[in-house]
Amino acid sequence: MSILHAKLLAQAEQLRAHRTQLVKEHGEHSVGTVTVEKVLGGMRGVPALVCETSSVSADEGLRIRNIPIMELTGVTPEEIFWLLITGDRATADELDELKSAFAKYYEVPQYVVDTLRGMPKNSHPMSMLSAGLLAMECESEFRKAYDEGVAKDLLWKSLVNDSVRLIASIPGIAAAVYRIRFDKGNVIKPLSNDNDLSNNFAHMLGVSDDASWKDLVRLYLVLHSDHEGGNVSAMTSYVVSSALSDPYYSVSAAMCGLAGPLHGLANQECLRFIMGVKEQFGGVPTEDEIRKFAWDQLNSGHVIPGYGHAVLRVTDPRFAAFHEFAQRHNVKDDNVSIVQRIYKVVPTVLQEHGKAKNPWPNVDAYSGSLLYAFGMTEFDFYTVMFGVSRAIGLCSQMVVNRMMGSPIVRPKSLTLNELYKAETLAGENA
Ligand code: HAX
């Protein structure tokens, strides 16, 4: 990876200098207030992290290195990784080098397959993905470099190597999880004549040879790759890697967060919801029927999966990108039709319900229905697809943070009584 290392070398010095200058010249300046509500409310909206790779605004959604995600729907995962980690669009030579570097690691080590096979039959595919990554920790060049005493400022170089290997290996781990967990037969080897990452992933899954399926896998890997630094999976890997744990530890931990129903598991919950609608009405229901179904869901104390977001206040552009895909590929499927009809009804229902700050759909409202339409019918696997993609952003964020020299994360916790006292004292001193 000579081109990538050389490119990042120049950036590392600039990033470190920039960070040092900000701390030195503006270290005492405030960038926001931490209210009691924020301390007790999951730190929502507290500006407390740096993420260079992407940003998410309430009114527009995801930008990768300041490019709106809707302008990137035609690119490959390799191009997205290059953009995330360097901030630039890759040239043909850069892409060639990256693809060759990835291709060395598409085939998953046998000990990972054995680890997955050794897991209980009822393991969730996300626990298998996390375990598979953790099993590969022994391969970490970052850990070896640290053990050999490489200077802290230079550790990012081995982090790049680990990231390349991890991003290239995770599709094979995920595909092995799919085939083992759902009794699909042998684990499939990567293609010998094609070094494209998403083509290989689509092939190793063994779901379909359809060109549209391959395009869906490509798009899926691009759309979920990064979503700034404050979401559960990104923040988890940020915290773990801040202790100088290597990327296998950090990404494996992030996958455990992604496995939660309020985060990455939402896509499987979402499809379950859609199938529930279909079953109840014996097909694609009318808008009135969906309205009633949604109200019943809310009145029984449940959320509408796939709707709402901690940051977004508009339709997630990634939802729009999947919609565009469905139209472009002329996907004819009941679940996809239900997704489209729910979109016409549920935002108004949620507005009338009055609780959710964002009544609009997020990416998870669409993605599962498309996977299902192309023959991947095992809901439990959908978050694994998400995880394969998200690993690209997690590793990019990790490398950039290490280049910048980010320190260990260590916020201060308070007891409820200390919080009460701190708030009272602040009030008295005001
Ligand atoms: N249906 C019903 N109620 C909802 C809702 C929805 N889709 N979204 C939010 N609300 C409710 C919340 O449960 C909360 O109620 P309480 O005050 O009783 O706790 C209230 O509205 C305010 O919540 P919020 O501030 O609008 O939303 P949060 O930032 O707390 O949570 C969530 C954001 C995404 C977790 C939330 O909207 C939700 O649970 N949505 C459904 C699950 C989902 O789609 N998750 C995927 C999110 C995308 C993602 O991260 N993917 O990985």
Side-chain angles (χ1 to χ4, degrees):
M1 290 306 308
S2 52
I3 308 179
L4 183 57
H5 275 113
K7 197 168 171 95
L8 294 179
L9 182 62
Q11 294 186 359
E13 282 167 29
Q14 281 172 4
L15 275 170
R16 259 198 311 279
H18 197 175
R19 182 181 172 279
T20 309
Q21 183 200 9
L22 272 171
V23 173
K24 198 170 153 203
E25 294 176 13
H26 304 280
E28 296 298 314
H29 291 179
S30 170
V31 288
T33 15
V34 183
T35 59
V36 172
E37 188 186 16
K38 284 179 177 174
V39 174
L40 293 173
M43 298 187 279
R44 206 64 47 87
V46 177
L49 301 164
V50 165
C51 173
E52 291 288 282
T53 55
S54 67
S55 56
V56 179
S57 64
D59 57 351
E60 191 193 38
L62 175 63
R63 275 174 177 255
I64 304 260
R65 293 286 190 165
N66 212 23
I67 302 175
I69 189 68
M70 285 306 271
E71 291 176 24
L72 295 167
T73 54
V75 307
T76 61
E78 289 89 339
E79 287 171 284
I80 274 289
F81 173 60
W82 194 276
L83 178 62
L84 281 163
I85 197 165
T86 69
D88 290 329
R89 304 294 286 260
T91 64
D93 283 351
E94 289 166 347
L95 271 184
D96 274 355
E97 191 196 54
L98 185 61
K99 282 184 160 197
S100 305
F102 277 156
K104 279 189 237 153
Y105 301 118
Y106 288 151
E107 186 163 354
V108 176
Q110 187 57 40
Y111 65 82
V112 175
V113 176
D114 294 343
T115 302
L116 299 177
R117 283 200 199 284
M119 290 184 75
K121 200 63 206 127
N122 61 351
S123 301
H124 192 281
M126 282 303 281
S127 74
M128 295 175 78
L129 180 69
S130 186
L133 282 170
L134 209 48
M136 280 191 71
E137 195 278 329
C138 57
E139 310 284 354
S140 175
E141 289 189 29
F142 179 85
R143 174 156 66 87
K144 284 189 197 98
Y146 182 83
D147 288 347
E148 283 163 11
V150 170
K152 216 170 155 189
D153 282 359
L154 300 177
L155 279 174
W156 64 266
K157 292 182 182 176
S158 49
L159 202 50
V160 173
N161 299 345
D162 277 0
S163 295
V164 166
R165 178 156 189 177
L166 193 154
I167 291 168
S169 299
I170 195 171
I173 301 176
V177 168
Y178 184 65
R179 302 202 55 85
I180 292 168
R181 175 64 176 74
F182 300 107
D183 294 324
K184 298 283 178 186
N186 290 339
V187 170
I188 300 173
K189 290 211 181 294
L191 296 159
S192 56
N193 56 352
D194 183 352
N195 62 6
D196 183 279
L197 186 136
S198 61
N199 279 353
N200 269 285
F201 186 29
H203 166 77
M204 288 187 284
L205 285 165
V207 171
S208 158
D209 284 332
D210 193 295
S212 303
W213 163 248
K214 285 186 188 155
D215 196 36
L216 178 61
V217 172
R218 176 200 62 74
L219 182 64
Y220 199 101
L221 295 188
V222 167
L223 292 183
H224 293 80
S225 59
D226 209 35
H227 216 232
E228 62 116 278
N231 62 75
V232 168
S233 49
M235 205 166 92
T236 301
S237 81
Y238 179 72
V239 173
V240 175
S241 68
S242 82
L244 296 187
S245 299
D246 64 59
Y248 295 96
Y249 284 125
S250 315
V251 178
S252 174
M255 292 304 129
C256 298
L258 194 67
L262 296 187
H263 189 21
L265 205 78
N267 53 16
Q268 87 173 55
E269 297 296 315
C270 220
L271 191 60
R272 217 182 290 286
F273 176 73
I274 293 160
M275 303 286 276
V277 171
K278 190 162 101 180
E279 197 181 309
Q280 172 143 343
F281 299 103
V284 183
T286 64
E287 291 184 18
D288 279 347
E289 286 170 330
I290 290 178
R291 190 170 295 110
K292 181 173 175 330
F293 191 93
W295 273 111
D296 288 349
Q297 176 92 353
L298 292 171
N299 290 335
S300 61
H302 295 99
V303 296
I304 309 277
Y307 280 75
H309 200 270
V311 178
L312 277 171
R313 296 295 177 258
V314 289
T315 295
D316 189 333
R318 300 170 300 169
F319 177 94
F322 277 134
H323 185 56
E324 202 180 274
F325 173 93
Q327 290 185 315
R328 188 158 36 91
H329 288 272
N330 200 18
V331 179
K332 298 266 177 262
D333 179 84
D334 275 1
N335 294 326
V336 175
S337 302
I338 294 173
V339 168
Q340 291 165 359
R341 202 159 281 179
I342 287 177
Y343 184 41
K344 288 192 182 154
V345 174
V346 162
T348 315
V349 170
L350 282 174
Q351 275 161 343
E352 286 167 10
H353 185 244
K355 256 187 165 184
K357 295 194 184 72
N358 175 31
W360 302 105
N362 57 61
V363 65
D364 297 319
Y366 222 120
S367 55
S369 67
L370 287 173
L371 295 176
Y372 197 92
F374 279 91
M376 181 178 272
T377 53
E378 298 80 7
F379 302 180
D380 282 0
F381 190 72
Y382 294 174
T383 313
V384 174
M385 297 289 291
F386 190 158
V388 172
S389 172
R390 185 50 59 91
I392 300 173
L394 299 175
C395 287
S396 306
Q397 291 193 19
M398 238 180 279
V399 169
V400 175
N401 279 314
R402 189 58 33 237
M403 277 158 51
M404 204 185 291
S406 299
I408 189 165
V409 178
R410 184 49 171 102
K412 175 83 187 110
S413 65
L414 303 170
T415 64
L416 285 176
N417 278 338
E418 284 169 340
L419 190 59
Y420 180 73
K421 267 194 223 152
E423 193 276 330
T424 314
L425 284 177
E428 283 168 4
N429 291 339

